[in-house]
Amino acid sequence: MLDVLLLLLTMLFIVILWIMIYDSNRFVVVRHEIRDRRICGRCRMVFLSDLHGKRYGKDNVRLLKAIEDARPDIVLIGGDMINGKPGEKLEGTVNLLRALKEKYPVYYANGNHEHRIKLYPATYGDAAERYSKALAALGIEPMVNSHVQLPGVNMTIYGSEIDKYYYKRFTVPEMTPDYLPGLLGRPRTETYTVLLAHNPDFFPRYAEWGADLVLAGHVHGGIVRIPLLDRGLLSPNVRFFPRYDGGIFREGGSTMILSRGLGIHTIPFRLFNPGELIVIDFTDDRTEQ
């Protein structure tokens, strides 16, 4: 009986290990549609987040092919495309961004890893300077608490970079109601507002601020998805079963699409939780389906 039990446990371990390796090296394409009367015509955007320097095939050929197949008008980036760690190589991510910028407009908001290398040069050396120069050479300027009006679409894209205080471990710090207006100003209600906000924990504040759509990442889908429950197990802030782990959430008139990200970091695997490439179709709500 003990031999049978050990055999079953060994087989279970092998199966879980195989799924872990498989999920850590693949991604799925997830599609959403947003309709709003203020949007002019149609616009398709691809949203990438939390790549953490990972490569899907040589020169990220698999990821680039999936983006090309989606035929987006615009590429949005939600941060953590690199790893904030000493000695991290940036070339793979820069090459991916170069390939994207050659074909599409790219709007890039920082995550906590891009922010971190700027804050602590004593730890990360000249990584922030090198990355900034590489992005500038590509014609990409990170959206640090700034915005851009998309011509002909009646849509405004905001990129936020909140203080490192809001990434504290084990808890979700309080964000006062005046914090986001102080960083971003106030959005215009006559245009559709998309907020690139890396950390999803503050979705109620983003909604209160006036975001029509929030695009976030950071949580990596909870790293491990619990089968049947479809819940993420652990957040990067070291909180079990985070409220916002992946998918669609709504608060008042605001919607948040929370990507499970494309890469891995710190905990070097994903389980029952492949990476995600998000494709969003924006249309006027009067447009025929």
Side-chain angles (χ1 to χ4, degrees):
M1 183 66 182
L2 182 58
D3 289 344
V4 173
L5 179 60
L6 287 174
L7 177 61
L8 290 174
L9 289 174
T10 300
M11 291 176 63
L12 179 62
F13 173 79
I14 292 171
V15 169
I16 290 176
L17 180 62
W18 185 89
I19 295 172
M20 184 186 301
I21 294 170
Y22 182 54
D23 279 353
S24 298
N25 291 283
R26 72 183 181 106
F27 64 90
V28 296
V29 177
V30 179
R31 297 179 179 271
H32 300 278
E33 184 178 46
I34 298 292
R35 291 177 169 267
D36 190 273
R37 60 180 178 77
R38 292 165 292 177
I39 299 171
C40 297
R42 296 177 178 270
C43 181
R44 175 172 292 174
M45 299 185 187
V46 160
F47 176 56
L48 296 80
S49 186
D50 298 275
L51 185 66
H52 288 290
K54 184 171 180 59
R55 301 186 193 188
Y56 287 98
K58 183 179 179 181
D59 298 324
N60 261 308
V61 62
R62 287 162 49 203
L63 180 57
L64 287 168
K65 178 64 165 54
I67 294 170
E68 184 178 352
D69 288 347
R71 302 178 66 183
D73 300 297
I74 291 169
V75 172
L76 302 177
I77 293 176
D80 280 9
M81 295 294 282
I82 60 172
N83 281 320
K85 66 180 185 180
E88 177 70 10
K89 296 185 182 300
L90 305 173
E91 290 78 5
T93 300
V94 172
N95 289 338
L96 171 66
L97 294 172
R98 179 181 294 110
L100 293 174
K101 191 64 171 65
E102 287 173 353
K103 292 186 176 182
Y104 317 105
V106 176
Y107 298 98
Y108 189 136
N110 286 340
N112 56 303
H113 281 248
E114 289 93 348
H115 193 198
R116 181 190 302 168
I117 64 173
K118 293 190 298 180
L119 292 177
Y120 304 109
T123 301
Y124 303 109
D126 65 348
E129 181 181 1
R130 288 188 291 115
Y131 195 47
S132 178
K133 286 182 177 179
L135 293 183
L138 299 179
I140 298 174
E141 182 179 356
M143 302 180 68
V144 179
N145 300 319
S146 62
H147 65 275
V148 61
Q149 179 75 34
L150 299 186
V153 187
N154 197 32
M155 188 181 300
T156 305
I157 308 293
Y158 281 80
S160 68
E161 183 178 86
I162 58 178
D163 190 81
K164 66 182 179 68
Y165 168 78
Y166 295 104
Y167 289 93
K168 290 178 68 174
R169 292 188 173 185
F170 309 113
T171 186
V172 178
E174 176 63 26
M175 179 181 283
T176 61
D178 61 345
Y179 181 73
L180 286 175
L183 290 181
L184 301 170
R186 286 288 186 183
R188 295 163 51 206
T189 57
E190 63 269 27
T191 68
Y192 189 85
T193 298
V194 178
L195 175 64
L196 300 175
H198 185 70
N199 190 339
D201 286 335
F202 303 98
F203 178 42
R205 288 300 188 205
Y206 304 149
E208 181 183 78
W209 170 76
D212 295 302
L213 176 67
V214 177
L215 298 178
H218 186 56
V219 183
H220 299 195
I223 302 170
V224 174
R225 303 294 295 182
I226 307 301
L228 301 179
L229 296 179
D230 194 29
R231 290 287 308 278
L233 177 64
L234 183 67
S235 79
N237 301 58
V238 196
R239 289 181 291 108
F240 287 97
F241 300 105
R243 177 182 179 185
Y244 302 115
D245 55 359
I248 296 183
F249 300 87
R250 292 184 172 84
E251 184 86 23
S254 183
T255 299
M256 178 168 69
I257 296 176
L258 174 52
S259 170
R260 297 180 187 175
L262 284 159
I264 53 180
H265 180 264
T266 307
I267 299 177
F269 66 84
R270 306 174 73 106
L271 181 61
F272 307 118
N273 180 34
E276 284 188 343
L277 177 67
I278 305 291
V279 179
I280 309 171
D281 284 304
F282 294 89
T283 66
D284 183 327
D285 66 357
R286 295 183 296 272
T287 302
E288 294 277 340
Q289 294 192 17

